[in-house]
Amino acid sequence: MKRLDALGFLAGTLTTIAFLPQVIHAYRTRKTDDISMAMLVIFGSGVGVWLIYGLLIRSQPIIVANSTTLFLVLIILGIKLRGYKHPL
Amino acid sequence: MKRLDALGFLAGTLTTIAFLPQVIHAYRTRKTDDISMAMLVIFGSGVGVWLIYGLLIRSQPIIVANSTTLFLVLIILGIKLRGYKHPL
């Protein structure tokens, strides 16, 4: 593996695993009020486009990182959407 | 500008502006309890490494997006750290 790829994988690993403590936090507390819904939706969309970009420039770090990040962001979004049912 | 660069800029714009509603949300409510501190620290570090990666592969979208994202994440972290002073 090239050194550059290794750096990209380090970056991707950090920005990806970062959402794990957030998933755990949201799952445990069931509280996501302070997390902006607009942030989750726009960020998730952006990560999806990064994934397409990574596929087109064939950058493995970008592909792996963004597909995993998208998965974790969707879990957080799911927990937040479940929370939205409570006031009904 | 190449089409690929345009796609990268779209992705970068989305994942970057996504943090703006979060900054506004945190600033208005002064509540950041539901945002994981570990997430902010690990994510901020990762964005910093993405920035270095972008500089090395000379990808303008990665450079612009990650420098701006880092700035916004630091603002959210700052608001959260100020919130931590309250219980003292």
Side-chain angles (χ1 to χ4, degrees), chain A residues 21-23 25-26 29-35 76 80, chain B residues 25 31-37 39 80:
Chain A
Q22 183 63 70
V23 166
H25 193 285
T29 64
R30 305 275 166 172
K31 294 203 77 183
T32 52
D33 291 349
D34 304 341
I35 302 171
I76 299 167
K80 189 166 177 69
Chain B
H25 193 285
K31 294 202 76 181
T32 52
D33 291 349
D34 304 340
I35 301 171
S36 159
M37 175 62 95
M39 187 271 274
K80 188 164 176 71

Side-chain angles (χ1 to χ4, degrees), chain A residues 2-3 5 14 25 30 32 34 58 62 65 71 73 87:
Chain A
K2 290 177 194 168
R3 280 194 173 184
D5 281 357
L14 286 170
H25 193 285
R30 305 275 166 172
T32 52
D34 304 341
R58 297 175 190 208
I62 296 178
F71 177 71
V73 168

Side-chain angles (χ1 to χ4, degrees), chain A residues 66-78:
Chain A
N66 285 285
S67 52
T68 315
T69 304
L70 188 59
F71 177 71
L72 293 170
V73 168
L74 287 175
I75 292 176
I76 299 167
L77 190 64

Side-chain angles (χ1 to χ4, degrees), chain A residues 4 7-8 11-12 14-15 18-19 21-22 25 31-36 38-39 42-43 46-47 49-50 52-53 56 59, chain B residues 4 7-8 11-12 14-15 18-19 21-22 25 31-36 38-39 42-43 46-47 49-50 53 56 59:
Chain A
L4 268 174
L7 194 68
L14 286 170
T15 50
F19 290 92
Q22 183 63 70
H25 193 285
K31 294 203 77 183
T32 52
D33 291 349
D34 304 341
I35 302 171
S36 159
M39 187 271 274
I42 300 171
F43 190 76
V47 169
V49 183
W50 271 130
I52 295 166
Y53 178 75
L56 291 174
S59 163
Chain B
L4 269 173
L7 194 69
L14 286 170
T15 49
F19 290 93
Q22 184 62 72
H25 193 285
K31 294 202 76 181
T32 52
D33 291 349
D34 304 340
I35 301 171
S36 159
M39 187 271 274
I42 301 170
F43 189 75
V47 169
V49 183
W50 271 129
Y53 177 75
L56 290 174
S59 163

